[in-house]
Amino acid sequence: MGRRTAAADAVGLVAGYALDSLLGDPRRWHPVAGFGRAAGALERRVYRADRRAGTVFTAVAVGAPVLLGAVASRATRRHPVARALVVAAGTWTVLGGRTLRHEATVMGTALRAGDLPTARHRLGHLCGRDPSRLDESELARATVESVAENTSDAVVAPLVWGALAGLPGLLGYRAANTLDAMVGHRSPRYARFGTPAARLDDLLNLVPARLTGLLTVAAAPTVHGDRERAWQVWRRDRHDHPSPNAGQCEAAMAGALGVRLGGRNVYFGRSEVRPFLGDGPRPEARHLKRAGRLSGTVGLAALALAAAWPLTGRPLTTAAGRTLLRRPARQIVARLGTASRVSGR
């Protein structure tokens, strides 16, 4: 990849992040919503209660955006300005940082005013729990946990995949994450069909979730948290969560805010009891502003790393790969030359 193309990718990531921070999600004609409708139509055509059908569904639904991104990337590889614009549009489309922070702010305002009906109504914008019987503490906990997990899903992970794989990575990750939200949850209908989408989402989030946890620990002092305590809680509790990735983010957030997360989560038709994460009191309305601010700081740190990667990481990785590929050939040639000299040929 040329230096100008790498610079265009970096500029596009920064511009797309800025657009999300300034404008948030498009209110109408959101591409992710359009993808969801198309994926829903595909599901109705191919659905069967087995993993093979789920694999076909996931491959087609994720493969199509990746292919679209690859075509756009190839078409703009010699046009840096056009490439930067395309990457910026893609980044803006897949990020959700401003919306996440806005929902945390709205929830905090409602809880501080004692307006539980509004708070319960807004919880559906963050997660799929049944809010009908949740009190202030449980609503605050659900919000903190959702902000922690979605800082990875809606901010860090898209930036990581955009840095590693450009526009195909951005679109492919968002497609996989959207499918997980649609069919990856536990239910009789999706117990087998949704497994491939859930596993793909887990795989794509392995690195971003751990990076989110580390960045959250590092940024703890920006919200008057204790970095050492956050580090200890993250190392101790991150594997206690049933998700291989969500625990990384939630444990770090619990340590950074000095609160205790986890407990009984009630969904529509089922409930789960999860281990506690952290040692402090249960979250309150006052913690939500700090959670949103910490999420924003982590997003900025992830952006800095993502924008730097095309200019530094990709060239180094490419050079190392070429060296590893060429070295065996040079060694073979050298050995052949030595053998020829010994045999007198």
Side-chain angles (χ1 to χ4, degrees), residues 44-272:
R44 290 190 291 273
R45 286 181 173 272
V46 304
Y47 175 82
R48 292 194 307 275
D50 60 64
R51 293 185 180 180
R52 181 176 299 178
T55 300
V56 172
F57 168 71
T58 302
V60 173
V62 175
V66 170
L67 180 60
L68 176 64
V71 170
S73 293
R74 183 173 180 81
T76 58
R77 70 187 187 280
R78 299 183 185 279
H79 307 281
V81 174
R83 187 182 185 93
L85 291 173
V86 169
V87 172
T91 304
W92 178 30
T93 295
V94 304
L95 291 183
R98 178 185 172 91
T99 298
L100 180 62
R101 295 189 297 274
H102 172 72
E103 291 300 329
T105 299
V106 171
M107 182 67 75
T109 300
L111 290 180
R112 283 193 298 272
D115 188 356
L116 290 184
T118 297
R120 288 167 178 159
H121 173 74
R122 298 297 302 193
L123 188 64
H125 294 250
L126 286 167
C127 63
R129 300 181 198 179
D130 182 357
S132 59
R133 298 183 179 180
L134 299 186
D135 59 14
E136 175 187 341
S137 178
E138 286 299 294
L139 287 166
R141 176 174 72 88
T143 302
V144 171
E145 290 174 353
S146 296
V147 168
E149 182 178 0
N150 284 299
T151 298
S152 177
D153 289 357
V155 183
V156 177
L159 291 173
V160 166
W161 284 106
L164 293 175
L167 188 61
L170 286 165
L171 301 185
Y173 171 77
R174 178 49 64 207
N177 189 248
T178 302
L179 291 190
D180 180 59
M182 293 175 62
V183 305
H185 51 85
R186 298 175 184 175
S187 69
R189 177 177 176 83
Y190 297 128
R192 297 182 63 81
F193 181 83
T195 297
R199 295 293 176 268
L200 177 61
D201 183 71
D202 287 343
L203 178 64
L204 294 179
N205 278 292
L206 283 176
V207 172
R210 284 147 184 82
L211 176 60
T212 301
L214 289 170
L215 292 176
T216 301
V217 169
T222 65
V223 292
H224 308 292
D226 185 284
R227 184 178 290 146
E228 181 62 28
R229 179 180 60 190
W231 170 254
Q232 292 174 355
V233 170
W234 178 72
R235 290 192 63 190
R236 186 193 68 197
D237 297 344
R238 59 195 170 118
H239 296 302
D240 291 344
H241 197 285
S243 165
N245 298 316
Q248 304 285 333
C249 312
E250 292 183 19
M253 182 68 80
L257 298 181
V259 298
R260 186 177 66 172
L261 303 177
R264 183 168 180 262
N265 294 345
V266 178
Y267 300 91
F268 295 92
R270 63 186 178 89
S271 65
E272 296 180 2

